[in-house]
Amino acid sequence: MKVTWTVTPVGYQRIAKRCPSCNIKRDFTPSGAFRVNSQKKVLDVWSIYKCTHCDYTWNISLFSRLHVSKIDRELHHRLMNNDAATVQHFAGDIAMLKRNNAELSGQPDFHVQERWSVCIMLKRVIAGHFTWSPTMQALVKSEAIEAYCFPGGVIQALLREIGAGRPGLFTHVGLGSFVDPRNGGGKANSITREDLVELTEIDGEMKLRYRPFRVDYAIIRGTYADPRGNISLEEEAIDMDAYSMALAAHNSGGKVFVQVRDIVRGGSLNPRHVKVPGILVDKVVEFRGQEQTCLGGYDLTISGQQKRQTSRDAIELVQHPVRRLIARRAARELSAGASTNFGFGIPGGIPGVAPCKARVCPSNRTVSSSAGSLRRVM
């Protein structure tokens, strides 16, 4: 296993020097610009600094009376273009600072990026789709890993079966499709050879059996956790399959790790809000900066704890003309009192056209996302 850390400075290294304007020693930071003077093929180069308190500018000498033939062309190009990396380089040049009667002040902030060698750690992926990760798509396409593409609902139900210790999932879902073993069994590339789907007959009807597998780790998230590891998802957008994943890993002899926004005192959680009991949890990580969705922050109307007055203009109308045409045609199939599930992708455009195209009043329809959280349109 190989792990690579990339350490990148954030901002510039500060220096300490007496500021003539403040009349005391202050911190100066690079402005990000160089000053270059040329006279008869002789160069003088300075890095322009600013006082962090009053913006007084001060030029630190980098090169003095240097003939143009003695400076690297690439360096000259970077100086003329105020290259940020070059500014950073000279900001940490202790010898240069001493020549200018300046000294380093404090330490710069750093951004550390950790990168794991996915090809070494990952053998196989089983997913409903791979649009969430271009890297994963490339690994599947290049046949660096095994990959199966199963219906999302099948994966969710299979996890419950694994958690219950049953012999897999028996269902008609997938018959005749690409996950049918007669049509490839959901294998996404040529190096994927193990059969995870079997064709079987039950009471005279053909079914598919999705075989169980061992779950070594489950990584899930919630809103709150107490000291005993009980997990509440009360302010999350949806519960998804947190419990099924935790149960599958725990009963497979694996580990369950949970990230939450807050760890609260014992006894403060409403028992009916606990979706994952602490007996299934091995480790809890608190992250106060956790966001509810990619929109950022937490919106209690998304979790259903608050209601927002909406209008016909509150739902965005899909812009692509073909997608809009398909959505309008699908909206004509809506009927009064129907419970409608709008999936991701093209189905997501239907709510935007439903109020004007459907033959029923919006207040008479109950809708849900493909994740299954029900909402009545008001």
Side-chain angles (χ1 to χ4, degrees), residues 76-96:
H76 182 265
H77 176 76
R78 294 199 301 267
L79 293 171
M80 296 299 294
N81 288 277
N82 297 320
D83 177 66
T86 306
V87 174
Q88 187 72 259
H89 169 75
F90 284 111
D93 189 331
I94 297 178
M96 180 271 296

Side-chain angles (χ1 to χ4, degrees), residues 31-90:
S31 67
F34 296 105
R35 177 185 172 187
V36 181
N37 287 353
S38 176
Q39 186 178 14
K40 295 182 179 179
K41 296 187 178 183
V42 175
L43 297 177
D44 291 295
V45 183
W46 298 269
S47 180
I48 304 175
Y49 278 69
K50 286 186 177 182
C51 173
T52 58
H53 185 76
C54 69
D55 280 345
Y56 176 87
T57 59
W58 174 56
N59 297 341
I60 287 187
S61 176
L62 303 182
F63 301 105
S64 178
R65 313 305 295 167
L66 180 68
H67 195 273
V68 292
S69 63
K70 295 184 178 180
I71 188 170
D72 180 75
R73 284 191 176 185
E74 178 60 28
L75 174 59
H76 182 265
H77 176 76
R78 294 199 301 267
L79 293 171
M80 296 299 294
N81 288 277
N82 297 320
D83 177 66
T86 306
V87 174
Q88 187 72 259
H89 169 75
F90 284 111

